[in-house]
Amino acid sequence: MQSGYTCLRCLNTLQSGATLSRLSRGFGSFQNSRWISTPGKQPTKRTRGSDNSHSRRTASSLGYQGQYAKNEPVEVRSPPGLASTPPPEVVGRVLLQPDNLFHTFSNSPSPEIRRRAALIKSHAYCPHPSHRQTRLVEGPNDPEARKTTNHSSQPPAHVRFECPDCGIPVSCSEEHWADDYESHLEICDTLREINEDDHDLRSGRFFPEFEYPGPQMEEALVNMTNWDTYLYSREFKAINEARSMRQATRLLTYPVTIGSVLHELSPYSIRRGGRLTTEGLKSLSALRYTLHPPKSGAGLDIKGLRPNPPPARIFILGARAESSLPREVWVQLSHMFPRATFHLIFIGPESMTNRDSEFPLPQRTPRNPFGAIVEDRISQQMKISTYVEYYHTLHQAGLFYPYDPYFDCFVLFHPGLGHPASSHEWEETVPQLLETKVPIICTGYTEWDMQRDRNWVEEKVGGEVDLLMEPGENRFRSLRWDLNDLDPSDISCGNWGIWAFRGKRYETTRRDVE
């Protein structure tokens, strides 16, 4: 043990003391290890396999089914005078085993899920056809279309009965659940999967699927065929369980969806079934030229100085949950383009929702008129800015002018362009997006949601739009399904579909006059 931190008398006591024999291993080894205590076993030490600049998640101890993790004594005590961080204490937290993840929402060991059950019961309505409609029908597959508008039918009723197979409130009574069981059976298995995935996130286990690899050598190409080939070629830790795969893709779908379209090895092409149009190839080729530059011979000395191009700007409009993703998730986008730099710009009135404790909104001053929040220490290749404002306000102020099709791109994650509740917010924005003549990538929760957005765009500005990518299923959609708390029969997955468009370009032709 090094004696630079304590006196010789304390050093001799620590080296000869039987009660503190663990400290003979050195304080440095404790900093690079993780201690895990399991019931009935001695504490074991797991050494970190690789150094990672991002924050590492601490491993929680696993208990038996139905047990509560009590306060565990500190296994290693540092010598007096040394600054140390005590291990986190877990008080009264329910720890669930992989074979004990199914619980009804109302009887869940997680207080958060119990509150969610109360929210569903107070807002969601029973989908049985004997009830009257509670809203406008949005499509042919909408469960609300089975109901009638006849006043002789039963009035709307909130859901109260939880299906014993999926554990989610789906009907107002057991009689209506049994009578409409054939219709519920179409989504019952998926609802049970959602139930278990939600409990898995709150089980207290360690999540190795949320540890992301760093940059890799340029010669190791990324395979963008599907999720399996991407994770393997990017050297992610092996994910051998379907549930862990669903949890991992729920976050990675946002950066990888963007990268799958912009990458030179994109699975979308102009070949038959590739869904990319001729105009789409023109727009994406300009961006790929910037994102995959040739080697310039730059070095660390004076002779190696080379001019660097500006970063590629990706405007993410209507940002909600994607703006609050862990930053190491977005850094995965820059790892797909090792020679390029990125500037992610989140724009939308909800881009900072529930993040006040993380980044308090700055005051709007003459130097910062729109209250921008700039994170310029994400990585050497990425910078993130957030604007809690509508895009058309920033566009009219000329904040981002000029736009360059070689460096700029717009991304709209589940924008709801054609949704009755949000379409009015896009009527002023979409024409301004078309003026920029840069690619606009859109995603949708479902096929119906995506097609509704396309129909709205064609209805509003159909003659001024060039289709870049045909609507279809996203190869890097989230594999985890999500539940709509206001309608349990409405299930969807993040970024299920993807398509792209751009403002129409008019090319002038020259005619020789005789």
Side-chain angles (χ1 to χ4, degrees):
M1 175 175 287
Q2 300 294 334
S3 59
Y5 298 95
T6 184
C7 63
L8 293 177
R9 181 179 300 177
C10 296
L11 180 63
N12 295 331
T13 303
L14 294 175
Q15 289 178 342
S16 59
T19 59
L20 299 177
S21 60
R22 291 193 185 97
L23 294 177
S24 62
R25 302 173 184 172
F27 182 68
S29 62
F30 168 69
Q31 287 181 323
N32 295 325
S33 62
R34 182 185 290 115
W35 290 87
I36 302 178
S37 300
T38 55
K41 296 182 180 181
Q42 294 296 327
T44 58
K45 181 177 73 174
R46 178 192 297 177
T47 304
R48 294 181 179 178
S50 60
D51 187 16
N52 193 345
S53 59
H54 302 296
S55 61
R56 305 294 293 263
R57 296 170 175 79
T58 57
S60 59
S61 54
L62 300 178
Y64 295 113
Q65 298 180 7
Q67 288 186 342
Y68 289 81
K70 300 179 180 179
N71 293 338
E72 298 178 354
V74 179
E75 299 293 341
V76 177
R77 295 188 180 275
S78 57
L82 293 182
S84 63
T85 302
E89 297 183 356
V90 182
V91 182
R93 182 179 180 183
V94 180
L95 304 178
L96 302 175
Q97 294 291 343
D99 57 351
N100 187 34
L101 295 177
F102 176 74
H103 299 272
T104 59
F105 270 27
S106 297
N107 299 320
S108 171
S110 171
E112 183 179 352
I113 295 182
R114 293 198 298 269
R115 288 193 296 268
R116 187 180 182 185
L119 175 67
I120 295 176
K121 292 181 178 180
S122 60
H123 291 82
Y125 290 95
C126 178
H128 195 273
S130 62
H131 294 287
R132 291 197 294 267
Q133 291 183 358
T134 57
R135 55 179 173 82
L136 296 177
V137 179
E138 298 182 359
N141 298 325
D142 191 349
E144 199 73 11
R146 302 186 305 144
K147 299 180 181 180
T148 62
T149 58
N150 190 358
H151 293 284
S152 61
S153 57
Q154 298 182 14
H158 290 288
V159 294
R160 289 288 182 267
F161 180 77
E162 294 178 333
C163 173
D165 297 326
C166 63
I168 295 178
V170 292
S171 296
C172 62
S173 63
E174 185 176 0
E175 291 76 13
H176 277 189
W177 169 79
D179 185 51
D180 199 33
Y181 182 72
E182 183 177 356
S183 176
H184 171 70
L185 196 61
E186 298 176 357
I187 60 173
C188 187
D189 292 339
T190 305
L191 291 178
R192 183 185 178 98
E193 183 179 287
I194 295 173
N195 185 333
E196 295 180 354
D197 289 346
D198 286 343
H199 281 93
D200 178 58
L201 286 178
R202 298 160 179 83
S203 64
R205 71 174 179 90
F206 178 65
F207 293 87
E209 60 267 31
F210 291 154
E211 291 190 343
Y212 305 107
Q216 62 189 33
M217 59 180 180
E218 296 185 24
E219 290 76 9
L221 300 179
V222 180
N223 192 326
M224 308 292 294
T225 304
N226 51 43
W227 274 117
D228 293 329
T229 58
Y230 168 77
L231 297 177
Y232 177 78
S233 59
R234 275 288 293 124
E235 299 181 353
F236 277 74
K237 291 184 179 181
I239 301 178
N240 301 319
E241 297 182 1
R243 178 173 292 111
S244 298
M245 189 72 169
R246 293 194 296 268
Q247 306 289 21
T249 59
R250 184 64 183 89
L251 302 182
L252 289 173
T253 180
Y254 292 98
V256 180
T257 294
I258 298 176
S260 66
V261 178
L262 303 182
H263 203 275
E264 62 181 358
L265 301 179
S266 170
Y268 310 108
S269 63
I270 60 174
R271 299 175 182 176
R272 179 178 299 179
R275 295 169 47 193
L276 199 66
T277 64
T278 305
E279 293 296 327
L281 182 62
K282 294 178 182 179
S283 292
L284 295 182
S285 296
L287 283 168
R288 291 168 184 172
Y289 179 81
T290 302
L291 298 176
H292 298 279
K295 291 185 177 181
S296 60
L300 300 178
D301 53 357
I302 296 179
K303 295 182 180 180
L305 293 178
R306 298 292 186 275
N308 294 325
R313 299 188 302 179
I314 299 181
F315 300 89
I316 302 176
L317 307 187
R320 297 185 296 274
E322 56 270 20
S323 63
S324 61
L325 287 178
R327 293 323 185 209
E328 55 264 30
V329 176
W330 282 112
V331 169
Q332 296 302 309
L333 177 62
S334 63
H335 293 334
M336 299 169 63
F337 304 90
R339 298 183 196 167
T341 56
F342 290 92
H343 183 192
L344 302 184
I345 304 174
F346 296 104
I347 302 175
E350 301 178 15
S351 57
M352 289 297 295
T353 303
N354 299 327
R355 297 183 62 197
D356 295 338
S357 59
E358 180 183 0
F359 290 106
L361 293 179
Q363 295 182 355
R364 302 196 176 193
T365 62
R367 297 185 60 183
N368 188 12
F370 296 102
I373 300 174
V374 181
E375 305 170 56
D376 58 351
R377 296 294 184 267
I378 303 300
S379 71
Q380 295 180 352
Q381 298 176 266
M382 181 169 289
K383 170 185 175 182
I384 296 181
S385 300
T386 305
Y387 293 86
V388 187
E389 187 59 84
Y390 286 102
Y391 170 77
H392 56 260
T393 303
L394 305 177
H395 181 88
Q396 294 170 359
L399 185 62
F400 303 114
Y401 271 103
Y403 296 93
D404 193 332
Y406 281 82
F407 291 94
D408 297 335
C409 175
F410 290 98
V411 180
L412 282 63
F413 290 114
H414 322 112
L417 299 177
H419 196 280
S422 58
S423 59
H424 65 281
E425 298 180 350
W426 294 99
E427 289 184 356
E428 188 176 357
T429 299
V430 171
Q432 296 175 350
L433 295 179
L434 299 179
E435 292 177 1
T436 62
K437 308 299 181 183
V438 300
I440 305 170
I441 302 173
C442 289
T443 65
Y445 285 114
T446 60
E447 183 178 6
W448 169 255
D449 179 40
M450 180 176 54
Q451 192 62 39
R452 180 180 57 186
D453 291 347
R454 180 186 177 183
N455 295 337
W456 183 87
V457 171
E458 292 180 350
E459 178 184 353
K460 296 296 181 179
V461 288
E464 298 296 328
V465 172
D466 281 335
L467 190 63
L468 306 184
M469 181 187 297
E470 295 286 346
E473 184 175 357
N474 179 15
R475 294 201 182 193
F476 292 95
R477 69 174 180 87
S478 171
L479 300 181
R480 177 183 167 179
W481 292 90
D482 297 318
L483 175 69
N484 183 1
D485 292 347
L486 303 182
D487 186 2
S489 59
D490 180 18
I491 56 176
S492 60
C493 64
N495 300 326
W496 182 93
I498 186 171
W499 63 294
F501 62 98
R502 182 200 64 202
K504 194 173 187 61
R505 278 180 162 177
Y506 295 93
E507 298 182 1
T508 59
T509 58
R510 186 172 182 177
R511 185 177 62 181
D512 296 334
V513 180
E514 297 181 357

